[in-house]
Amino acid sequence: MKKIQPFLVSLLCALPGYAGAERGAAAPPQKEAAEAPPVLQLPRDVRPLHYSLAMKIVPANERFQGTADIEVQLDRPRSVIWLHGRNLHVTQATVDAAPATYEQVNEEGLARLSLKKPVGPGKVTLHFGWDAAFEPRIVGLYQATEAGEKYAVTQFEAVDARRAFPGFDEPVFKTPFDVTLTVPAAHVVVTNTMPVPGEEKLLDGGMKRVRFATTKPLPTYLVAWAVGPFDVVTPPPLPPNEVRKHPLQVRGLAPKGRGAELAYALQSGGELLVLLERYFGIEFPYEKLDHIAVPDYSYGAMENAGAIVYREDALLFRPGISSEGSRYNIAEVLAHEMAHQWFGDLVTLRWWTDAWLNESFATWMATRTVAEWKPELGASIAFLEDVQEAMHNDELSSARAIRQPLDDIKNVWNQFDGITYQKGGGVLTMFERYLGADKFKAGIRSYLNAHAWGGGDTDDLLDALSQAAGRDMKTAFHTFLERPGMPLVEVKVQCEKGRGRLELRQRRYLPLGSEAAQGDRWQVPFCVRTSAGEACTLLTEGEGSLALDACPAWVMPNAEGAGYYHFTMATEELKKLAGPTYALLTPRERLSLADNVRAALHSGALSFEDGMAILTPMASDSTPQVAAVPMELLTLAHEALVSEALRARVEEVGRQLYGPVAARIGWEPRKGENVQEQQFRHRVLAFLATKAKDPRVIAEAVRRGRAYAGLEDGQFHPEAVAPELALLTLQMAVREGGQAVYDTLAGRLAKTQDSLQRRRILGALAAARGELLDRTFALLLDSQLRKNERLGTLFDASNWLDSRDAVWNAYRKEFDQLVTLMPESHMRSSISLAARFCDPEHLEQAKQFLSDRAPQLPSGKRQLAQALETVRLCIAFRDAQAGSAERFFRGVRVPGSRGGGRARSW
């Protein structure tokens, strides 16, 4: 999302009812007759104090019904009250029993409640009755189906509670809720709190009415309920500890018949929750915690207070079926969502400009908590890889700042992307290391205690961190929060009379072809590790220096890879790091070095030949994330840099580099392997099968895929292949086996309810070629696919270079129909299919086709801008580096392995 231009900010502030994005500032009083619909935020002179909601929800029906009594405080007399309600059929509307007229005034759900006579100031009660259709695209209150059973679930973040009930759907309004739900008597029903004892009543018609305890103060987006034939698993409560003085009941809910799959999540989640309590120094804020796996869900999970909702495969685990990597993923998402119970739920952002206060912190906190819980899972380096992916996005001139005002409420999802999650988390990692973990924790605790049960904003947090640090950190933090892009720090090593000094210069990092300016400056917490130890400084200007105690034999300009910046240094200094010093670097530092070489290639500071001379030996590194970096560059060269005639040579180099790695790690997990090593096995074998075209790997993948598919007996055989390799082997079986294998798997899809197996089947069907791939495209429009399955299938198909044009053509042909079938968030993400190309022809096609369509989707305009820029940058990179790449692949000689764990000079 682009920044709001200054003149537009002035215009918005002048509009009646507008409230600034900072701290929920109130608009100046307006005459009643002149009051226009508010822009972005509701007026702050009307505040909800309490909700009483009564809903009738039957998942098998097409519609639901509800009534609401909302107590509000009016600061002045009003005959018009602004609130929210989207696509609700409101049949009753009163204010203190006086009739009122309810009207939705825009497509985003702003509603006007009009009275004949003004009411207030003081407290009044709004009453509504309504009915509405279940939402078709996994927002608001929606239906999900599994094994013929219907479920009803909510997804209210960010602005979708208004699709389920009328109210004040903004995070600044935190109030208690009383919720009563009437549901089928045989169904389980859960909300944020537990039922009031003795308040469940059986009604005629096979229904029951359940009243729940009053919630703590909540914004509307954290209210939740789920109704359906769930399995409920209730382990013993978590015992008291040094922070929490009472037992805490944690339960798990899964679709009918799948409760046993909650065992791993419930065990690991309880252990992680205790670690979070100890870090924050505050007991879990709510009376209970339910982890709820639902059959059809758009996102990974949602942090509803005391009732967290998850996509099935983000919570459920089946030994022998689920990959071991799922253990890490489940732990990470559990820690992320539970961290939100403090950051976001206990203390809530006041407006969506500060979404980073929720997501950046939960991302950072999840990483450090999982790393503390089980270091062998490799959470820290896995997160660094994610941060570097955000850096790649942040290199775009169209990238947004972490903290950026909204220009339109429909663009609220601009605030929820890799910039918020991974960049924000990376920036927090950098400042925690610079300030020290104890001071950083003290600042966080101070912020949470000061704003508990209310709201907070960026300055509140930064003031607390600065106070804990004993110095101003707000200014430096803001440079990373308010500016897009990232610093590039140029490092020059000076040595005089036995003492060393680093001369530093910063500018914005820009890749080849970028249209962005280089004028930005950051206050960079810059930490280096040298042969003499570690040293840090805060680089506040364009140039600076850092004194060292001794002349360094080598300098690693990003200690522990914790800094959110790129670095550049003289070639001879880089060669020291990539050569004799390499074994002295930590795994995170080696990954940082690799990514900075990649960045230098993309900026033109290094030729492809020189960069690959440094990177290619890293294929033998003992750290999986480091060893994977050359794969990415080889794939890019194969698809975009070299001529078609030279692609076979790129494939050969890929086989020479990673064939020995595959021989070492094999097809079966070894005793003592960690999760990251098991995931790396998939990356290596997938690269060799799909990019390097290794015939031996392909043949073995096909053999195992056919055995796993059970073509003869019609049953999957999990023992035939490690779970991490199940999808790859099925893909290769379809790709090489043609119609017979395709028909077998396609026929099995309708009979398969398990989301993980369905994901594998669909990924395999997406690997088909020719007419079989056309059948997969037709399947995208078929009602047997779940709402959350179409996007992944599209991207799976686009991963195959020889299918990419067919995917692009089918996407454009069926775009208008897909819009009606896919969740808006998924349809928005589908725009990035345009970024899979690297030539002017496809760039022009994307412009012509999507320029009018993308802006019709929430946040679609920015998604398109980034996709188009990605293609332009790829073209510029190809034009600049193609010649060097051709020379590299024509002249390269891959040396034999001399043992693992370090890079070698060629």
Side-chain angles (χ1 to χ4, degrees), residues 706-707 709-715 717 744 748:
R706 293 177 66 90
L711 300 181
E712 286 73 26
D713 62 9
Q715 300 293 325
H717 291 270
T744 297
R748 205 174 295 176

Side-chain angles (χ1 to χ4, degrees), residues 333-394:
V333 75
L334 282 165
H336 181 108
E337 302 307 327
M338 290 191 297
H340 273 309
Q341 305 295 298
W342 289 265
F343 253 101
D345 296 10
L346 176 64
V347 180
T348 304
L349 76 172
R350 295 191 178 99
W351 182 239
W352 297 111
T353 298
D354 282 322
W356 82 282
L357 284 176
N358 285 12
E359 302 303 345
S360 300
F361 269 85
T363 302
W364 164 79
M365 193 67 202
T367 299
R368 74 180 328 280
T369 304
V370 173
E372 178 184 0
W373 176 59
K374 288 194 174 180
E376 67 272 16
L377 292 179
S380 178
I381 194 162
F383 178 58
L384 178 57
E385 192 174 33
D386 291 341
V387 171
Q388 290 177 348
E389 184 62 32
M391 286 180 164
H392 302 172
N393 184 39
D394 209 18

Side-chain angles (χ1 to χ4, degrees), residues 525-567:
F526 182 79
C527 293
V528 301
R529 200 163 67 84
T530 74
S531 54
E534 186 171 325
C536 295
T537 187
L538 189 65
L539 180 60
T540 60
E541 303 296 335
E543 296 182 3
S545 63
L546 174 59
L548 304 175
D549 292 336
C551 289
W554 53 269
V555 174
M556 172 58 197
N558 190 350
E560 198 53 26
Y564 191 86
Y565 53 81
H566 286 319
F567 63 80

